[in-house]
Amino acid sequence: MNAHQTFRIAAIPADGVGKEVVAAGRTVLDALAADSGGSFRFAWEEFPWGCGHYAETGRMMDEDGLDRLQTFDAIYFGAVGWPTVPDHISLWGLRLAICQGFDQWANVRPVRFLPGVTSPLRAADDQDLDWVVVRENSEGEYAGLGGRNLAARGPGGEVAVQSALFTEVGCERVMRFAFDLARERGEGRRKVSSVTKSNAQQYGMVLWDEVFRRVARDYPDVETESVLVDAMSAKFVLDPADLSVVVASNLHADILSDLGSALAGSLGLAASANLNPERRFPSMFEPVHGTAPDIAGKGLANPIGAVGSAALMLDHLGLPDQAARLEQAIATTTAAGILTRDLGGTASTADVTAALVDALGDAGGNSAR
């Protein structure tokens, strides 16, 4: 890594607790940079896009938003959505506009079981559980193909068609990404589980299965399995120790990754990376949780998902040692019992943020590579 490297990061807190957790993540990241001996720093620019922006302008983000974001090294995102704006408008107008506009086709969602956090899963008491969900992020069930018609029939007569799109290119690239990730996880973890529903979806998911079998032949050192999505949801609960890398379509992975985070203790722990692996466009890093209007502005939000997402961003930016420091700070904080309300604790967002910064200092700085 070059000394005194500056990373330009676009911050989009968006709505609700997104504003609070992005602020917390920025505080932790700046503390990490300050403790790096000047090896790197972050240059932030914050964009006020979201449902508030929509109320003022009729747009979730500015018309030239993608052009402006394209110049950044990465995007740090909060959460989007508010009761005053229909969910399909807020999602498609901002988050999905960025993901699809920048071809962020691999969505990586680790499932981490942290010390000091009580899991509802009994298997977590005596097993080392750790897996990653790789979500196809550009097509599948979220391709946005379809329409609504026949409203002229009168009330109750309208028809909506929503089509899922599966392409060989889209399936293959996310599957190869998953296999490469499984290899990186080392001996004993080299396994890819493909999630399917080809017994009922006889076109798109049959193509998914065929591509998976073909790609698997190029990775003879990686164990494979193909599991129906309903059976995989049961496996997450009944046999999680057998999981390493789970690759699934857009909708299936979205649901399963939330299940995994709930099993780990809370959706507030869940981190994610929306990657453009070819690096033609900036990638985006965000916690998986929503905007939580019921607690927004009260200082109760769990910032760990956002900070875990920041660790994924550091790794993507070529700072794996710093990413590891951040992950260790998270583990140190939860192990010390400094937990927000969603985890059964009483700590505020500010309390957890301060504990994370302290944990970074206790671990020692100046370790940038």
Side-chain angles (χ1 to χ4, degrees):
M1 187 189 91
N2 296 328
H4 310 293
Q5 191 166 4
T6 297
F7 296 101
R8 297 184 63 246
I9 310 297
I12 308 176
D15 304 312
V17 298
K19 302 177 187 296
E20 298 165 66
V21 299
V22 165
R26 287 181 58 172
T27 297
V28 175
L29 283 169
D30 286 339
L32 187 70
D35 202 32
S36 72
S39 295
F40 67 95
R41 61 182 290 270
F42 299 103
W44 299 93
E45 183 172 344
E46 186 165 307
F47 294 86
W49 300 333
C51 291
H53 189 74
Y54 181 85
E56 295 175 1
T57 67
R59 300 184 63 93
M60 289 296 297
M61 69 174 177
D62 294 341
E63 190 171 359
D64 63 348
L66 292 182
D67 290 335
R68 293 164 67 186
L69 291 176
Q70 190 165 346
T71 64
F72 288 84
D73 295 307
I75 303 164
Y76 194 43
F77 193 85
V80 66
W82 201 248
T84 56
V85 180
D87 287 343
H88 67 281
I89 291 177
S90 60
L91 186 64
W92 279 96
L94 186 55
R95 184 190 175 277
L96 289 183
I98 295 171
C99 288
Q100 296 201 355
F102 287 159
D103 198 21
Q104 294 169 347
W105 52 264
N107 182 213
V108 179
R109 295 185 169 190
V111 177
R112 295 191 67 208
F113 288 72
L114 293 168
V117 176
T118 301
S119 165
L121 195 65
R122 283 189 300 174
D125 295 339
D126 54 11
Q127 296 187 66
D128 182 17
L129 301 178
D130 171 27
W131 68 90
V132 179
V133 176
V134 176
R135 174 188 182 190
E136 198 293 312
N137 208 37
S138 65
E139 49 183 54
E141 302 88 348
Y142 290 7
L145 301 178
R148 297 173 61 173
N149 213 326
L150 303 182
R153 289 179 173 178
E158 190 172 7
V159 173
V161 175
Q162 189 83 40
S163 298
L165 174 71
F166 291 88
T167 69
E168 285 194 68
V169 170
C171 295
E172 179 168 346
R173 66 183 182 179
V174 77
M175 289 170 183
R176 291 193 180 277
F177 183 95
F179 274 97
D180 290 338
L181 181 59
R183 279 181 169 171
E184 292 174 7
R185 286 167 67 82
E187 296 297 334
R189 305 297 298 171
R190 290 182 176 174
K191 180 177 181 179
V192 176
S193 303
S194 171
V195 179
T196 183
K197 193 59 180 173
S198 51
N199 59 341
Q201 296 175 290
Q202 72 270 45
Y203 304 120
M205 293 263 73
V206 168
L207 175 64
W208 174 278
D209 290 350
E210 291 172 352
V211 174
F212 183 72
R213 288 192 295 268
R214 173 165 56 81
V215 171
R217 289 197 290 268
D218 293 335
Y219 296 83
D221 56 317
V222 179
E223 183 184 352
T224 64
E225 65 176 351
S226 182
V227 184
L228 294 175
V229 63
D230 37 351
M232 182 58 81
S233 64
K235 184 167 185 171
F236 265 44
V237 177
L238 299 176
D239 193 16
D242 192 48
L243 300 171
S244 179
V245 176
V246 178
V247 63
S249 70
N250 218 322
L251 179 61
H252 292 167
D254 192 10
I255 296 168
L256 288 171
S257 59
D258 280 14
L259 172 60
S261 296
L263 293 173
S266 168
L267 204 59
L269 302 173
S272 77
N274 301 284
L275 301 177
N276 175 248
E278 302 90 351
R279 298 178 185 263
R280 294 184 298 116
F281 303 104
S283 295
M284 182 165 68
F285 304 84
E286 59 173 332
V288 172
H289 63 69
T291 56
D294 58 324
I295 63 168
K298 298 180 180 179
L300 302 175
N302 188 344
I304 287 179
V307 175
S309 301
L312 295 173
M313 182 172 70
L314 291 170
D315 195 57
H316 179 74
L317 293 173
L319 301 173
D321 293 342
Q322 299 294 342
R325 285 188 66 200
L326 205 50
E327 293 284 9
Q328 183 55 53
I330 291 172
T332 299
T333 298
T334 59
I338 305 171
L339 307 173
T340 45
R341 191 174 67 174
D342 57 308
L343 297 174
T346 59
S348 67
T349 308
D351 292 335
V352 175
T353 303
L356 290 165
V357 172
D358 288 345
L360 288 173
D362 291 342
N366 302 332
S367 61
R369 297 289 187 268

